[in-house]
Amino acid sequence: YCVEFRTESLSQHCALETRPYARWMRYLREGHTVCVACQPPAMSAATRRCSGDGHSAHGDKILHWEAIGNSQCQGTWKKIRQLEHCSCPLVHSFIFT
């Protein structure tokens, strides 16, 4: 499944990333909608969910995220909706780890 989030805030460290495999962090923006896929092995075998997917988040609950490979690139987002069938666009798509 996938979850759509609206990026509420992010640290300035995301925009400063220059390593080739991590340049995607420079394109994160406040207010953008991002789509995050929950795939094995990030999915818990017991719950069949990914940690941090906002399953119990409703309304305006602020959730925290952190980028893999640069712990200083972090921020907050709000869950918009969960999609049982992923149709994430190539741009602004991520995977839970």
Side-chain angles (χ1 to χ4, degrees), residues 14-83:
C14 302
L16 302 175
E17 184 59 66
T18 58
R19 294 172 292 175
Y21 66 88
R23 285 190 187 134
W24 61 268
M25 294 177 202
R26 296 190 311 198
Y27 299 102
L28 293 170
R29 298 285 183 271
E30 291 179 9
H32 279 191
T33 297
V34 296
C35 186
V36 187
C38 177
Q39 302 174 351
M43 189 180 290
S44 164
T47 64
R48 304 286 297 155
R49 304 203 67 81
C50 283
S51 176
D53 70 357
H55 176 63
S56 60
H58 300 290
D60 287 339
K61 185 172 182 179
I62 300 285
L63 304 168
H64 294 270
W65 58 267
E66 180 180 302
I68 285 287
N70 181 351
S71 61
Q72 293 182 321
C73 177
Q74 53 187 289
T76 60
W77 55 19
K78 290 182 183 178
K79 180 180 176 182
I80 297 172
R81 64 182 173 148
Q82 179 175 318
L83 306 167

